[in-house]
Amino acid sequence: MSDIEIIGAKQNNLKNINVTIPKHKLTVFTGRSGSGKSSLVFNTVAAESERLLNETYSSYIQHQLTQYQKPHVDQIKHLPVAMIINQKRLGGNSRSTVGTISDIYASVRLLWSRIGEPFVGYSDIFSFNNPKGMCETCSGLGYVEDIDLNELLDFDKSLNEDAIKFPSFRPDSWRGKRYLYSGLFDNDKKLKDYTNEEMDTFLYTEPTKLKNPPSNWPRTAKFEGLIHRFRRSFLLNDNFEKKRFKSDVDRVVSKHTCPNCHGRRLNDKVLSCKINGLNIAEFTNLQINDALAFLKQIDSDKARVIIEPLKQQLEALSYIGLNYLTLGRETTTLSGGESQRIKLIRHLNSPLTDLIYIIDEPSVGLHPEDIQRINDIIVSLRDKGNTVLVVEHDPDVIKIADHIIDIGPLAGKHGGEITFEGTYQELLQSQTSTGRALNKHHHLKVHPRHPNDMISIENINRNNLKNISTELPKHAMTVVTGVAGSGKSSLITTAFEHNEDAIFIDQKPVHASNRSNLLTYLDIFDEVRSFFSKHTGLKKSMFSYNSEGACPECHGKGVLKTELAFMPDFSQVCDMCGGTRYRPEVLDAKVDGYSIADILNLTVDEAIEKFEGYINITRPLQALSNTGLNYMTLGQSLDTLSGGETQRVKLSRYLTEDVTEKIFIFDEPTTGLHEDDLPILINCFNHLIDEGNTVILIEHNLTMMTEADWFIDIGPFAGDHGGQLLYAGEPKGLLDVKNSVTAKHLKRYIEH
């Protein structure tokens, strides 16, 4: 058995490191946020394993697979096949559920087709994505969407006066011109003065070729009624535009349960087929534990071969702490942690061995009570004869490692080195940032803020919540906690979703492509371009790689992609610009020896120093640095940020503004943060409170709990066994709540 040897790893910020990873052991990689853990584990080890495996397939198959560039490493020896279990959300759309994504629903459909009565058809008819099985009214979605004409149109205006109240239908937009240039309407006539026939033409015309269109009408275009076009563009597809104009879509469109199938997605014929009194939709709406109990009551020799593997799959979901989910839950509503655990169950009973499992922060979204189960799963994967690599910050996960590799000492350019290798006990004796953080003694806040005013939460009944009423203090830090699925997020989201002063800062990615970077998000790229234009004499637009300054060879992408038909696409760094994205003449235009490309390669801290005196540039960057993201480079694409980084980038925008009397709600802000980085985040929260704001954290991290002024604990368990208010009040009182699992772990933590 030869260990995995990595020689000369230089990916991203890694400083030509050599490291040996023991096989058939559990190795945890830890270190400060941005130190280089993911660069080593995911961008080097995982990427190379995936790339080499893909090369064994035919050219045609390779073309269909994700393409991996060869990582920047001299050599990797004895590398097994990798199974990567990351936190990427399962995604999908309204047609994708926990049952469909995990393939469990296929077995459920088969079961109902075999023993359900009366017989209505084979398994495919039980799919809500099949025209024969879906409800005709909602097309299998379970809901219908109505367009509110009063929100979409201003009847007191004409088409020329911006009568269509939607950004992409303005008179100067290409969609708006489809109505202005059609020749079918008097563009100066108020909508309220339209005849019934004109309004019908305007709203409901099916796509039609115009007979004698005006000269400015596009030759190949068809005229389409506004309702049809709007529905096609923004309702039928989950596209980029729908996300881009989400607030406007939410304003115009109302969503409600389908009046025909009542949210069950299937038609009456399919729903008439039952097993022990339940149709298939009723079964998929049961929580996992209840679904298991139902299956155990079925006595059928004919179905035993289906039921047994189905029970195993559901038991696996329950075991990893997802017993509160239903098979009908849409995948779009799952968190990154929930998505990761669903991916994990596929490997639980796998007979494959000698693989390398690479798991990204499995503790994310988990209460300390749930982490033990995840630890058991990770250990079971190792004990089957696999090598397990875990990137993790949580002390409870680090503790179970056979081998620990600490990367640092700091982040970005100041990281990328191996600072420690050894056992947990040896780590505690070390002087690395992780070793010091693990040795810290914690205690509850001695002097919590005493509120002068309270915010009331009344009669919340969403999901599993049982008519909860409570209150929390203004101008203080409240931590809302409880096991995963207990109802924390439901409580806070429902209580504040219509509150105009509430600002939700979550981990959902900002809508961005690889052409957007930190500077564009912070709205200071324009300032930087003006700076260069002023000092070089070139036009401002020349310093944008999305405009005139773009390299003519790669068009501002930095890479050239060659499509090779049935072979995988071939990408290489652009020779003309060297991957910088800019024209040669732009790269030659320098200020104090720096080109615009050099500026984009600076870290946030380096840029603050470079632009000293330019407050419009340095102030947003300083706010970003204050959130602990000082290691990021200015040109980093927004689509490469982790959930925790995204959240902190969003937070930084509010640290530059004079915001007061707002309610900031953070969903697990410690995600991806090293214990040594938490004080940075805590300082940001304290700053917001000092400015007269209220901070609410939905959080499991025990260190963050010790900073709370107020606790709201929901539980005691998940799903139907949760949804109760166990405690609301100052920190000390929580420790006396006997049925609180949070109290149990918090006691252990502060007595450590």
Side-chain angles (χ1 to χ4, degrees), residues 664-723:
F664 284 88
I665 298 164
F666 295 87
D667 190 6
E668 296 186 41
T670 59
T671 299
L673 273 182
H674 188 273
E675 284 288 309
D676 232 22
D677 290 320
L678 293 185
I680 298 168
L681 202 55
I682 291 163
N683 286 339
C684 291
F685 296 151
N686 286 332
H687 170 77
L688 289 173
I689 295 167
D690 292 343
E691 292 291 310
N693 299 293
T694 302
V695 172
I696 303 171
L697 312 181
I698 302 166
E699 187 57 84
H700 297 119
N701 183 279
L702 291 166
T703 304
M704 196 58 83
M705 288 184 202
T706 61
E707 296 292 327
D709 300 305
W710 194 265
F711 270 113
I712 293 177
D713 192 24
I714 308 294
F717 303 110
D720 288 344
H721 302 290

Side-chain angles (χ1 to χ4, degrees), residues 50-67 564-569:
E50 290 272 281
R51 188 184 70 83
L52 292 172
L53 182 63
N54 288 359
E55 284 184 355
T56 65
Y57 299 119
S58 69
S59 299
Y60 176 76
I61 298 291
Q62 287 184 51
H63 184 62
Q64 313 301 318
L65 298 172
T66 306
Q67 303 303 309
L564 299 174
F566 289 110
M567 292 178 69
D569 297 344

